Amino acid sequence: MLADSINKIIAKNHNTISHASNSKYKCTKCSDTGFIKTERGFARCSCYEEDYIKRLWENFGVNPEDVKLLKDYEPYNDVTKRAKHQAAEYITNFNELNKGTNLVLMGQAGGGKTHIILAIGKALLERKMKVLYMPYLEAIRELKANAMDDEYYNKLINRYKMAEVLIIDDLFKDKVKKGRLTAELTEADMRHIYPILNYRYSNKLPTLISTECTPQMLIELDEALAGRILERCGKSYGIEFNNQCNYRLRQFI
Ligand SMILES: [Zn+2]
């Protein structure tokens, strides 16, 4: 029955399409029905999942369409030039990289680290990769708040664990202030973040990370976790912004 009614909707929309221009639909593959006809019956159109991923970004207040491109990032010293260059290379070579290669931007606040990792995410989204956005504090808060509801919790955490590409923005934000560690990782913190990073490490899934922590600070917080994050950057994709990278500040000097 369901198949019948879907069939009708699709037929109706396809008829309309032949009379009107294709641009009437956001998705010309399914005429915005979300379903396509295959030999074995109906299947979800790829636009369905793309929309779903977009909604997950929007839940955290970011519309991927509004994310600034990498070409709009203006480097202002050697480190930021290198960061931009490596980011471009990461996008270009993504399919040839070792499986699960991370790109991690560390250190000094205000250097545009978030701009760069979101721009990479956007570029990969446009290549139809399933890229998930995880602003660390908000996402961990949501996980902690739902820890008692097993079913929902697993659904939430599995998204981050299994995403084809995961962006973790401002990792350990609540542990750093003005370039210093202000708190330790608690058992509760670890219960939520460790399974995500560990799963991605073990399954060689790529993660893009921005953090105000330096590599030394990551090690101080948790050596095993830092090892898992940094090991997968190789020589090229772990970049520490130093204290000459504070663009916001630099404007006033
Ligand atoms: Zn579609």
Side-chain angles (χ1 to χ4, degrees), residues 9-18 20-37 43-48 50-51 128:
I9 296 170
I10 290 180
K12 190 169 160 252
N13 283 9
H14 278 287
N15 282 340
T16 328
I17 242 180
S18 56
S21 98
N22 284 1
S23 63
K24 207 179 145 200
Y25 297 104
K26 274 193 292 179
C27 180
T28 50
K29 273 190 279 181
C30 69
S31 311
D32 296 350
T33 59
F35 289 95
I36 47 165
K37 212 172 172 181
R44 281 288 188 191
C45 180
S46 60
C47 71
Y48 177 80
E50 286 158 23
D51 271 356
K128 310 293 178 202

Side-chain angles (χ1 to χ4, degrees), residues 47-217:
C47 71
Y48 177 80
E49 190 147 33
E50 286 158 23
D51 271 356
Y52 175 67
I53 288 172
K54 192 178 156 214
R55 279 203 304 279
L56 293 179
W57 282 61
E58 286 170 344
N59 283 347
F60 287 121
V62 179
N63 181 343
E65 281 158 26
D66 298 336
V67 167
K68 282 190 266 174
L69 299 173
L70 189 60
K71 70 175 170 63
D72 299 323
Y73 178 77
E74 286 175 33
Y76 44 87
N77 62 15
D78 287 345
V79 184
T80 48
K81 255 183 229 160
R82 191 171 146 243
K84 183 176 182 175
H85 178 264
Q86 291 309 112
E89 202 176 75
Y90 188 89
I91 297 169
T92 313
N93 297 338
F94 188 79
N95 293 330
E96 283 80 48
L97 293 173
N98 284 333
K99 247 186 123 209
T101 299
N102 293 343
L103 185 136
V104 183
L105 303 179
M106 293 163 281
Q108 185 73 40
K113 296 191 297 292
T114 296
H115 179 158
I116 294 175
I117 57 164
L118 285 185
I120 299 172
K122 183 186 172 100
L124 296 176
L125 268 180
E126 279 165 9
R127 288 209 216 150
K128 310 293 178 202
M129 309 274 316
K130 288 160 202 149
V131 184
L132 214 63
Y133 170 58
M134 175 182 170
Y136 174 75
L137 266 194
E138 289 93 325
I140 291 295
R141 220 174 271 148
E142 193 182 16
L143 285 168
K144 284 180 179 171
N146 291 289
M148 305 303 277
D149 181 347
D150 279 352
E151 199 184 326
Y152 185 63
Y153 181 84
N154 286 333
K155 200 177 128 186
L156 274 180
I157 198 163
N158 284 343
R159 265 183 212 158
Y160 301 126
K161 280 173 157 178
M162 296 173 188
E164 208 169 351
V165 181
L166 181 68
I167 297 175
I168 306 180
D169 190 21
D170 241 334
L171 178 68
F172 304 138
K173 185 190 172 81
D174 53 343
K175 310 296 176 197
V176 199
K177 209 166 188 182
K178 293 179 181 158
R180 282 174 200 282
L181 285 180
T182 53
E184 294 185 348
L185 280 177
T186 64
E187 249 182 76
D189 294 323
M190 283 298 267
R191 204 175 307 139
H192 305 287
I193 190 65
Y194 189 81
I196 297 173
L197 289 167
N198 194 47
Y199 183 93
R200 301 191 65 77
Y201 174 82
S202 306
N203 291 281
K204 298 192 172 172
L205 292 165
T207 311
L208 312 171
I209 297 174
S210 80
T211 177
E212 279 182 42
C213 292
T214 61
Q216 293 73 28
M217 285 155 76

